[in-house]
Each structure stands twice: as structure tokens, then as C-alpha cells.
Amino acid sequence: MSGAVALFTDGADWHAARLERAFARRGVECRRVSLSACGFAVGRTLTDLLLPGFGDSLPSGAFVRVVGQGSFEQVTLRLGVLHALDRLGVPVYNTARAIERCVDKSTTSFLLARSGLPTPPSVAVQSVDTARAVVENTPDCVLKPLFGAQGRGLRRLSTPDDVPESEAVAGVYYLQSFVPPRWEGEWRDCRVFVVGGRAVAAMIRHGRGWITNVHQGARCEAMAPDGTAADLAVRAAAAVGADYAGVDLIADPGDGDRWLVLEVNSMPAWQGLQSVSKTDIADALAADFLGRVDAVASREPR
């Protein structure tokens, strides 16, 4: 294997630059690669893969920061490359399997529930009539894009007439019960950043409205990465098999000491979180990732 690690990202990314510096401080060469430029080259390279910058060699490890937007076929191919790297013995962080579980919010909800973790009731169906029946019986739901992120495309539904036609949601209705704030008008939740089975940073997000994502204008407030919320976030990341994750939690309005897991993000941004955290998040990620790379290398036959 090549001594360099692959950092899968797209373009000039604040997060990628922070990771590169963290790798450089440890004397590790990091090569940025876009998954959109990767593919299979069976019988044409020694690895049977097309990895720009690596030729016939494999990276010593692959850190997945971004898979990138694309058609269903394009994203499937990119995840296939990650699966292939894992099959070839390259540590992939996060694995394609973990990414698939987190990108699909319905699968995340299923795995959380089956692991006994508290999460709001949710339904994922493919019929507009079924979705409208759900909203009729549960008249306060949040419609989320199955593959959405950063608070984009969220809709709060109160009546069956609020449910859009199928083409507006790519044929899938993921409906999560709305969790009201404990106090009227106090829109807040928290993000816990988990690295290697440990909560390393956390924040409370104060929203201007019920959508509390930083990209939607939420204000960040530092929060200690310990206690009940941190423990639950670590368990949520483990439930989906994520090496690192941004776990979104919200207080249970009926029990002030209980949290509910809203989502688990396998390719989380952390610029907002870093602004209120004393922990160097990129450094924590690099340390855990390279520890896994070294562990795999030590098991290779010499």
C-alpha cells in the first residue's frame, strides 16, 4: 500500500483543510480525491480500481468527508468504490455500510429503535395516500427528505392536505413525529460529535424557529460532551456502525432528563461546533483514524 491516505472530499472545503493540517502535524501525506472521479478499472489497474493520484497503489487509509451529490447510479458507484476499498483491506472511515445506514433516515430510525434507543416515532412509505392517512392520525409530523441534510427541505405537516404529491419527495415519504419544545417558543436541540466511541464535543443549537440547523441560522452554545446526552450519542453512533458521527438529540418534553435521537450524521460538518468547542475536532478525527490505519498495518504480513 501507499503510505498516503486518501481524503474523499469535493473542492475547497474548510473541513478538508483542517484535516489536512491535522494529518500533516503527524507527518502523514494526505491526498484529496473526489469520489466523482473514482471508479472501477477491472483488468486495467493492479487494484481493479480507478483512484486518481494512486495509480496501481492503494491508500493506507480512506477518510470519507464527502460522497457528493449525484444521481442514484452515481452515488451507488461511489459507495461501491468504498465497499471495494474495504474488501481490499483499506481502513475506510466511515465505511460505506455506515454511510448507507445514516443517509437513509428510515434505516437510521429502524436501527435506533431496534437497539432500544429513544427516538421519535417515524413512518417511511411510498404512497401519497398512505402518507396522508398517517398525517390524519398523527396531525403534527415533520416531512424530511430521505437523503436530506443541513435542514434543507423540511416541512411540518398539520393536515393530510399538507402532504405534497409524490414527485416532490422523490416518491418516498419519511415522516417523523414533531417533538415540541419543553417551553413555548424555545427552539433548541443539541449536536454531539462522536469519534471512536467517545463524545469529544457538543453544543446546544438555538433556532430562530423549529428548524435548528446551523446552516439555517441557529446560534451555537457550548455544551459539555458528557452525561446522559453524550452517552446516548455514543450508543446511537454504535447502532449504525459509525466510526465518527454528528448525533442530533432533542429533549423529551415529557421528561426533562430524557433525550431523543433525531438523526445520526455519518459525514457531519463541524465548523459551527468548532466555534464553541475547545477540542480540536479535526485533530481528534485524525488521531482516531490514523490509529485504525496503524492497527491494520501492524496486522499485515511483513
Side-chain angles (χ1 to χ4, degrees), residues 101-114:
R101 288 170 166 178
C102 292
V103 167
D104 178 354
K105 293 182 177 64
S106 60
T107 296
T108 301
S109 291
F110 173 81
L111 292 171
L112 292 172
R114 299 309 298 175

Side-chain angles (χ1 to χ4, degrees), residues 144-163:
K144 298 183 176 183
L146 198 64
F147 300 150
Q150 298 179 340
R152 294 188 291 264
L154 302 184
R155 305 187 192 188
R156 192 169 165 189
L157 309 179
S158 299
T159 70
D161 291 339
D162 294 333
V163 179

Side-chain angles (χ1 to χ4, degrees), residues 210-235:
W210 65 273
I211 299 176
T212 55
N213 296 77
V214 173
H215 278 76
Q216 302 297 325
R219 176 176 60 86
C220 305
E221 177 189 345
M223 176 180 174
D226 56 22
T228 305
D231 292 342
L232 179 57
V234 168
R235 293 169 62 199

